[in-house]
Amino acid sequence: MSTLDLVNPATGEVFGTTPVGRESEVDAAVRNAAKAFTTWRRSTPMERQAALLAIADALQVRADDFAEVECRETGKDRAVMLSDEIPQSADVFRFFAGAARTLAGASAGEYVAGHTSSLRREPVGVIAQITPWNYPLLMAVWKIAPAIAAGNTVVLKPADTTPSSTVLLAELAAEFLPEGVVNVVTGDRDTGRLLVAHPVPAMVSITGSTRAGIEVARTAADTLKRTHLELGGNAPVVVFDDVDVASAADGIIAAAFYNAGQDCTAATRVLVQAGVHDELVDALMTRAKAATTGPLNSAIQLDRAIGLVDRLPGHAVVHCGGKQLGDRGFFLEPTVISGLRQQDEIVKEEVFAPVVTVQRFTSEDEGITSANGVPQGLASSVWTTDASRAARVSIELDFGCVWVNTHGPLASEMPHGGFGQSGYGKDLSTIGLDDYTRVKHVMTKLA
């Protein structure tokens, strides 16, 4: 079997390899999942709950092991991994453990004389899943937990650069689940294509770029698989001139540079009302110069971000950053750019790096129009002390999530997913659980 090199993005050094699954490996995993589905689908909600709770507990017990393998492949801060992402991952398992026991069909009545109707919620079947490299463990949990809570089995392909925490999670889950319920196949894009095209999975769920989501949808259409697409974002941060500038700048920088800006909800596209534009740009610049961020995922990602900065139009002003930091690893200087216009490449594209772009607007309508003027529609935020304005703008922003005077917090109880080229389907919440079920109508003739 061929392999891919694994590179530590903090150093740029190769430290290991990962197998590249091809047709035989993908087929074996899918067949294993299909076999397991015949019995797992009939497990009780109580049994599924017990397994998910046990996985959550074991995940936290082995937190150091997960932090070690993920930080080596992502360059993340170990303390942040231990304080944020691993507890969040455990919480998602615990949420869906409870939600598994809420799945129920609807009792109905007699809509045809002499016949009683009812609705059943059933698992879909084998689910093919593909996860990205920015949050390898957390995204695997977001995919696996609702799928198996609903009674499905899964075959998951992690990103080629960050497979290890997902493999470790599958090994841990195998201690508490029947064989074949959770399967992982590592590899490259071709591995993912083989998984999506395989005739057995009934559904494909992907978190990734818009490009990847479009390719998945096209391939899945050949066999009419259901698709669940959580794709790229380009979140607007709409700041009105009644805000406390220092407080807003603190919140924006924290949400823009978390995970080195490699977050589909990152607060990097800032739209500022004219009255506080210059003051906010200065505040963002000051905080960016003092910020410390981790590396980008790869040399490819670093080159892409630098390329977007290098191709800036003449009206753009780079206040700080925009260049590689150091000569070891894939670090980009925290960057703030103002003077941008709606049609600029760096505004239309999701940068996925520690880069904040700033656009000026005058009226409320102009701010909303600029915010909505990109093809992605995942997340957004509005910053104002005017409650009526916050309500109006929240309604008009065409994004799956709108935060008010904050940006970024997520809750297992609330759905995460977008509109437009950010895809469709929801992760988290009971809505996310419903996405992994199908509805069956049962009609019974009376007497």
Side-chain angles (χ1 to χ4, degrees), residues 14-96:
V14 175
F15 66 85
T17 61
T18 184
V20 178
R22 286 296 179 247
E23 191 168 354
S24 60
E25 289 79 24
V26 169
D27 185 66
V30 170
R31 301 294 174 186
N32 203 36
K35 181 180 179 181
F37 180 64
T38 61
T39 53
W40 183 248
R41 67 181 298 185
R42 305 194 186 284
S43 60
T44 66
M46 180 177 67
E47 291 169 335
R48 298 198 291 271
Q49 180 189 52
L52 288 164
L53 290 173
I55 293 170
D57 291 344
L59 176 60
Q60 290 202 280
V61 168
R62 297 189 60 185
D64 285 333
D65 295 336
F66 280 93
E68 179 180 353
V69 297
E70 180 139 329
C71 291
R72 184 175 57 191
E73 291 179 353
T74 63
K76 293 182 180 182
D77 182 275
R78 184 184 182 90
V80 173
M81 186 74 191
L82 289 169
S83 64
D84 291 358
E85 293 182 39
I86 290 175
Q88 289 174 27
S89 297
D91 181 70
V92 171
F93 272 119
R94 293 189 178 111
F95 171 79
F96 283 110

Side-chain angles (χ1 to χ4, degrees), residues 302 305-307 309-310 312 318 320-325 332-337 354-355:
L302 176 62
I306 292 174
V309 176
D310 287 346
L312 285 171
V318 179
C320 60
K323 300 186 181 301
Q324 183 172 358
L325 181 63
L332 180 70
E333 296 173 342
T335 304
V336 175
I337 306 166
V355 176

Side-chain angles (χ1 to χ4, degrees), residues 278-333:
D278 293 350
E279 185 182 357
L280 183 62
V281 168
D282 286 344
L284 294 173
M285 178 183 64
T286 298
R287 286 156 178 77
K289 287 181 175 179
T292 301
T293 65
L296 299 183
N297 175 256
S298 64
I300 293 173
Q301 187 65 16
L302 176 62
D303 289 345
R304 178 182 177 276
I306 292 174
L308 286 167
V309 176
D310 287 346
R311 294 191 299 274
L312 285 171
H315 53 260
V317 178
V318 179
H319 295 270
C320 60
K323 300 186 181 301
Q324 183 172 358
L325 181 63
D327 56 5
R328 191 166 181 259
F330 312 129
F331 294 86
L332 180 70
E333 296 173 342

Side-chain angles (χ1 to χ4, degrees), residues 194-280:
L194 288 168
L195 178 58
V196 174
H198 197 285
V200 170
M203 175 176 167
V204 183
S205 176
I206 178 174
T207 295
S209 68
T210 297
R211 176 205 55 76
I214 291 170
E215 182 177 345
V216 163
R218 284 174 176 158
T219 304
D222 290 339
T223 49
L224 289 180
K225 293 179 175 69
R226 290 172 60 171
T227 53
H228 180 281
L229 310 177
E230 198 280 277
L231 309 177
N234 193 0
V237 180
V238 186
V239 184
F240 288 92
D241 58 13
D242 59 352
V243 299
D244 179 282
V245 170
S247 177
D250 287 341
I252 292 167
I253 287 295
F257 292 166
Y258 187 84
N259 201 32
Q262 299 172 118
D263 189 311
C264 53
T265 66
T268 55
R269 187 165 64 96
V270 181
L271 310 169
V272 191
Q273 198 165 26
V276 293
H277 176 274
D278 293 350
E279 185 182 357
L280 183 62

